[in-house]
Amino acid sequence: MHLADWLNTRSGIAHLYDVERAGYTSYAMRAAIADRRVRRIRRRWFATPAVPGNLLVAATLGARLSCLSAAAHFGLWHLDDGLLHLSVPPNAGHFDAGPHRAHWGRGPLPSPRFGLVEPLENALVHIADCQPFENALAVWESAQNRDAFSPDYLGGLKLRSAAANRVRSASTSLSDSGIETIPRVRLERLGIRVQQQVLVDGHRLDGLIGERLVLQIDGFAYHQAD
């Protein structure tokens, strides 16, 4: 398989370490570059035109996607703030993030040595530290709703961040998306308790306030399907 075709099975980019492990020789790398199907990024990264722009920026800057950018990569519900969020090794020297948002803190898991995306666990910590509480909670609950983590696993993570501990304590797996999480948080802030996923007459409700007031929240995707 041509190096470019192999790279395209890996989002269009890979580190030299993984390219060599896949069996590609120096000759194959030079040939792929010579026929312009592959280019080098920072000497040790190889990329094709198919590489997503955010991964290309991460490789160019020597960073990894984290926070909301990692949430988007993993397909989690989130409120996009228009920034590219990148994690930087705590022992790195001067780092010019330019228009992007840099995160320096450590997460509960080791970062992948040759990866361009932080583990989701680390990204969630960065989200808790970076975003407003209700927005961060929506992402954490999206992760639980999609079975990315079991409650026991999430509860067992060693979190040094006070903000992450606060979000973890408040998170559940009951919200289907952030459009259910955020209204619930805002109502509870007003002293209004919302029971989620309540079964009434055989129908599961998004929320129930008191004994009779039903809260049903449908997003654009739901109505777009009609």
Side-chain angles (χ1 to χ4, degrees):
M1 181 186 293
H2 192 281
L3 176 58
D5 297 324
W6 179 81
L7 289 170
N8 286 336
T9 68
R10 301 169 60 90
S11 299
I13 192 166
H15 191 275
L16 173 63
Y17 174 82
D18 292 316
V19 173
E20 290 180 335
R21 286 192 65 189
Y24 290 94
T25 63
S26 297
Y27 174 80
M29 297 177 211
R30 290 195 300 269
I33 293 171
D35 66 17
R36 298 185 179 181
R37 293 186 63 188
V38 173
R39 62 169 167 152
R40 277 186 185 268
I41 308 295
R42 288 175 61 95
R43 295 180 56 195
R44 293 184 177 273
W45 290 95
F46 294 83
T48 73
V51 60
N54 56 1
L55 293 179
L56 183 60
V57 171
T60 302
L61 295 179
R64 299 181 183 88
L65 301 187
S66 192
C67 195
L68 295 182
S69 299
H73 177 83
F74 290 116
L76 299 183
W77 194 99
H78 66 288
L79 287 173
D80 187 10
D81 63 0
L83 297 174
L84 180 62
H85 292 257
L86 301 169
S87 70
V88 183
N91 59 351
H94 175 71
F95 179 78
D96 183 6
H100 314 302
R101 177 69 185 271
H103 297 269
W104 299 85
R106 293 182 182 273
L109 297 186
S111 298
R113 186 179 178 188
F114 302 115
L116 291 174
V117 184
E118 282 286 347
L120 180 53
E121 295 89 332
N122 296 359
L124 290 177
V125 172
H126 288 150
I127 289 169
D129 288 334
C130 172
Q131 297 296 304
F133 172 78
E134 62 187 30
N135 296 2
L137 183 62
V139 183
W140 282 61
E141 294 196 338
S142 175
Q144 291 194 71
N145 179 265
R146 295 197 178 196
D147 296 325
F149 307 117
S150 70
D152 288 342
Y153 173 78
L154 195 60
L157 289 177
K158 294 182 179 179
L159 306 178
R160 291 184 288 268
S161 162
N165 276 295
R166 182 186 174 213
V167 173
R168 176 172 63 180
S169 296
S171 65
T172 75
S173 59
L174 297 177
S175 294
D176 289 333
S177 73
I179 61 172
E180 293 182 22
T181 296
I182 293 175
R184 186 196 83 228
V185 172
R186 294 181 179 180
L187 287 169
E188 290 177 347
R189 193 177 296 147
L190 297 173
I192 302 172
R193 180 173 177 269
V194 180
Q195 300 178 68
Q196 290 186 275
Q197 303 302 324
V198 178
L199 197 63
V200 175
D201 292 334
H203 300 282
R204 191 168 296 281
L205 308 177
D206 292 338
L208 181 65
I209 300 173
E211 296 182 356
R212 298 185 180 183
L213 182 57
V214 172
L215 183 65
Q216 287 291 107
I217 305 172
D218 296 320
F220 174 72
Y222 174 85
H223 293 287
Q224 186 184 38
D226 292 339

